[in-house]
């Protein structure tokens, strides 16, 4: 059996934390109300962190808290107390980028494991060995690492290595960006990124005239997806597979966690097959709203990994509803509606740690059991027939498997 890596999922809220763990995450990473690079996420109060840790530990999962801003002098006040509170809440580790956090953590929260953030841009074994000597237990490698870089670091260090396998990329090296601050006075390195790399820009000729047919120029990279390289990463000994997306929806987080959970388990047991790999790719690419690429894993990248113009990010309408219960007597699912569906549609039930299956929506009833033809009201409770009982918080989605 191949050594099984940890599957690490994003959790932008307490609700998302519980969904991620239900769908198979071994660990989640979250942000508190301070010191996190996702300031626009809902983030966690200290009480929510405690609740999240308790839920995770009861389900054999871990919680890591991002403390990964680049600190200015005014940011340091209160850091020791905050880390001490995280230790008291039994958080498993903190994810940091600024070296000052090492000394503060050792003084105020010595039981916390220290995970070095991708923001530190570790790309070589010597840098990794330096942080290993400082007491860091895990390094989240820069997303610009190639397969050879990753293997060299693993072979020459004695430290856990975590790698991103799916999600958004940054235009700048591991997120070291000043464009957001320059254009909008929102500091990307202190949690305020406005994603200026996804803005549309005009192109000018040498006379400073706008080139009209290229007016929507962007500098954004396509999203990262290493779904085709999971086995290679397992073979070289990556300790943790990280999914990006603390700002993403419940549907997105649940779907990518569920797919990668099954892929890792199948590879570990050596019962993987091409049919499931192809299905996994189809599900993952359908769930996202941007194009994907393996980025730097196979070496230096070019124009195929980058958006330049005419980029489209369409809103995904595949998420039809959430299973809230099952009526054994009538053999009906109780669905909380999220997007429009109608009588006669075909759909898929996607469940935690179970195979997905087709369902024909032959009838729809409202919560009073009156027949209706269409479910069009968000959060409305409706009933649809289903021959099979499925777990609470399974997902009803558009039939995308044909």
């Amino acid at each position: 059996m191949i050594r099984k890596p940890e599957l690490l999922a994003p959790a932008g809220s307490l609700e998302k934390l519980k969904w991620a763990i239900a769908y198979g995450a071994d660990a989640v990473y979250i942000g508190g109300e301070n010191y996190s690079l996702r300031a626009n996420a809902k983030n966690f109060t200290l009480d929510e962190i405690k609740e999240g840790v308790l839920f995770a530990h009861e389900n054999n999962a871990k919680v890591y808290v991002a403390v990964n801003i680049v600190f200015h002098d005014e940011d340091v006040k209160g850091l020791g107390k905050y880390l001490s509170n995280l230790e008291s809440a039994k958080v498993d580790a903190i994810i940091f980028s600024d070296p000052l956090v090492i000394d503060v953590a050792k003084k105020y929260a010595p039981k916390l494991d220290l995970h070095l953030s991708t923001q530190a841009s570790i790309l070589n074994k010597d840098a990794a060995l330096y942080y290993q000597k400082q007491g860091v237990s895990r390094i989240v490698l820069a997303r610009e690492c190639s397969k050879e870089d990753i293997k060299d670091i693993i072979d020459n260090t004695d430290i856990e290595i975590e790698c991103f396998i799916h999600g958004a990329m940054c235009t700048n090296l591991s997120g070291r960006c000043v464009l957001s601050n320059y254009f909008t006075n929102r500091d990307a390195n202190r949690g305020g990124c406005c994603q200026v790399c996804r803005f549309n820009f005009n192109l000018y000729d040498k006379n400073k005239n706008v080139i009209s047919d290229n007016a929507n120029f962007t500098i954004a990279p396509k999203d990262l997806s290493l779904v085709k390289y999971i086995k290679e990463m397992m073979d070289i000994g990556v300790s943790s597979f990280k999914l990006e997306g603390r700002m993403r929806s419940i549907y997105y987080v649940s779907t990518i966690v569920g797919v990668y959970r099954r892929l890792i388990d199948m590879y570990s047991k050596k019962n993987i097959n091409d049919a499931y790999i192809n299905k996994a790719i189809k599900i993952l690419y359908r769930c996202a709203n941007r194009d994907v690429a393996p980025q730097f894993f196979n070496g230096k990248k070019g124009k195929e990994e980058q958006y330049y113009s005419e980029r489209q990010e369409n809103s995904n309408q595949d998420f039809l509803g959430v299973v809230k219960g099952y009526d054994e007597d009538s053999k009906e699912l109780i669905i909380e509606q999220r997007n429009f569906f109608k009588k006669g549609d075909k759909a898929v039930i996607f469940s935690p740690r179970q195979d997905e299956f087709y369902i024909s929506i032959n009838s729809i009833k409202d919560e009073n059991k009156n027949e209706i033809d269409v479910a069009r009201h968000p959060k409305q409770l409706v009933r649809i027939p289903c021959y099979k009982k499925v777990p609470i918080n399974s997902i009803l989605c558009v039939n995308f498997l044909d």
Side-chain angles (χ1 to χ4, degrees):
M1 183 178 290
I2 300 172
R3 180 174 176 269
K4 188 183 293 188
E6 171 188 85
L7 180 58
L8 176 57
S13 67
L14 186 58
E15 182 185 23
K16 292 175 185 177
L17 177 150
K18 294 178 179 180
W19 278 75
I21 292 172
Y23 273 79
D26 298 303
V28 295
Y29 62 100
I30 67 176
E33 294 182 310
N34 299 301
Y35 312 120
S36 166
L37 280 180
R38 289 293 181 268
N40 292 325
K42 185 177 180 182
N43 289 323
F44 288 67
T45 65
L46 184 59
D47 286 340
E48 287 174 329
I49 290 174
K50 291 176 181 178
E51 183 178 345
V53 169
L54 181 61
F55 178 87
H57 290 176
E58 287 176 345
N59 289 275
N60 300 312
K62 295 181 178 180
V63 175
Y64 311 142
V65 176
V67 189
N68 56 348
I69 67 167
V70 175
F71 284 80
H72 292 230
D73 284 343
E74 61 266 31
D75 300 318
V76 179
K77 184 179 180 181
L79 176 60
K81 176 66 173 175
Y82 180 68
L83 297 183
S84 177
N85 287 337
L86 295 183
E87 183 182 79
S88 298
K90 302 189 184 305
V91 166
D92 296 282
I94 56 171
I95 306 168
F96 75 98
S97 63
D98 198 314
L100 85 88
V101 176
I102 298 175
D103 289 336
V104 176
K106 286 180 178 178
K107 180 177 180 180
Y108 291 95
K111 294 180 182 178
L112 285 176
D113 276 354
L114 302 176
H115 294 181
L116 185 67
S117 170
T118 190
Q119 304 296 127
S121 307
I122 302 302
L123 288 155
N124 63 79
K125 62 179 180 291
D126 294 313
L129 285 168
Y130 171 80
Y131 279 102
Q132 180 181 322
K133 292 175 182 177
Q134 308 310 309
V136 172
S137 61
R138 177 184 293 186
I139 293 177
V140 189
L141 294 184
R143 276 172 269 198
E144 294 77 23
C145 276
S146 68
K147 175 173 60 179
E148 290 73 24
D149 293 331
I150 298 168
K151 187 177 187 306
D152 189 48
I153 292 169
I154 290 172
D155 289 346
N156 290 281
T157 62
D158 185 22
I159 193 169
E160 292 183 355
I161 295 300
E162 180 180 306
C163 295
F164 279 93
I165 62 168
H166 199 96
M169 292 287 292
C170 184
T171 297
N172 288 65
L173 183 66
S174 293
R176 294 187 173 191
C177 179
V178 296
L179 287 175
S180 177
N181 214 345
Y182 180 82
F183 279 97
T184 67
N185 202 30
R186 288 170 52 182
D187 192 342
N189 296 301
R190 297 166 84 184
C193 181
C194 70
Q195 294 193 315
V196 66
C197 56
R198 301 193 184 279
F199 289 7
N200 289 330
F201 295 92
N202 291 329
L203 279 180
Y204 295 83
D205 63 21
K206 63 182 180 180
N207 296 317
K208 297 185 178 181
N209 296 313
V210 173
I211 303 173
S212 60
D213 59 348
N214 281 308
N216 290 324
F217 180 79
T218 65
I219 55 175
K222 295 177 181 178
D223 280 5
L224 171 70
S225 176
L226 294 178
V227 62
K228 298 178 182 179
Y229 303 95
I230 293 300
K231 185 178 185 301
E232 289 184 57
M233 298 186 76
M234 292 174 70
D235 287 343
I236 63 178
V238 175
S239 301
S240 179
F241 288 173
K242 189 169 192 172
L243 308 172
E244 183 273 340
R246 278 193 280 156
M247 301 285 287
R248 302 273 194 157
S249 68
I250 286 171
Y251 171 64
Y252 178 88
V253 171
S254 300
T255 303
I256 62 170
V257 170
V259 170
Y260 279 109
R261 172 77 280 151
R262 198 167 307 166
L263 280 171
I264 292 169
D265 291 347
M266 293 174 78
Y267 276 120
S268 297
K269 296 175 182 177
K270 298 184 179 180
N271 64 354
I272 194 73
N273 58 72
D274 290 340
Y276 184 74
I277 294 172
N278 291 333
K279 183 166 72 170
I281 291 170
K282 191 172 184 178
I283 295 171
L284 289 172
Y285 293 2
R286 177 87 183 223
C287 178
N289 64 350
R290 290 195 287 263
D291 293 333
V292 298
Q295 295 298 348
F296 294 87
F297 188 74
N298 288 323
K300 293 183 179 179
K301 296 293 104 180
K303 64 181 182 180
E304 297 304 319
E305 288 71 37
Q306 182 81 15
Y307 285 117
Y308 289 100
S309 62
E310 302 302 322
R311 186 180 91 257
Q312 291 186 339
E313 297 184 8
N314 297 319
S315 177
N316 188 297
Q317 302 295 314
D318 287 353
F319 183 21
L320 301 180
V322 178
V323 175
K324 291 296 184 180
Y326 185 76
D327 189 326
E328 295 273 8
D329 296 330
S330 62
K331 305 297 182 189
E332 292 174 327
L333 291 174
I334 300 169
I335 302 288
E336 184 180 80
Q337 191 262 18
R338 294 301 173 89
N339 276 300
F340 173 94
F341 62 90
K342 66 184 185 303
K343 182 178 176 180
D345 284 347
K346 291 185 178 180
V348 170
I349 297 289
F350 192 84
S351 300
R353 304 175 188 265
Q354 293 186 11
D355 291 337
E356 55 281 326
F357 64 94
Y358 294 98
I359 182 173
S360 294
I361 304 176
N362 297 321
S363 71
I364 307 174
K365 298 176 183 176
D366 64 19
E367 56 189 311
N368 296 317
K369 301 184 181 181
N370 299 312
E371 291 279 352
I372 57 176
D373 291 328
V374 175
R376 58 164 58 93
H377 304 296
K379 297 296 185 78
Q380 178 185 15
L381 290 178
V382 298
R383 291 169 168 260
I384 61 174
C386 182
Y387 64 90
K388 181 179 180 181
K389 183 178 181 180
V390 298
I392 301 297
N393 289 341
S394 294
I395 291 171
L396 180 72
C397 49
V398 167
N399 175 21
F400 50 71
L401 296 178
D402 285 342

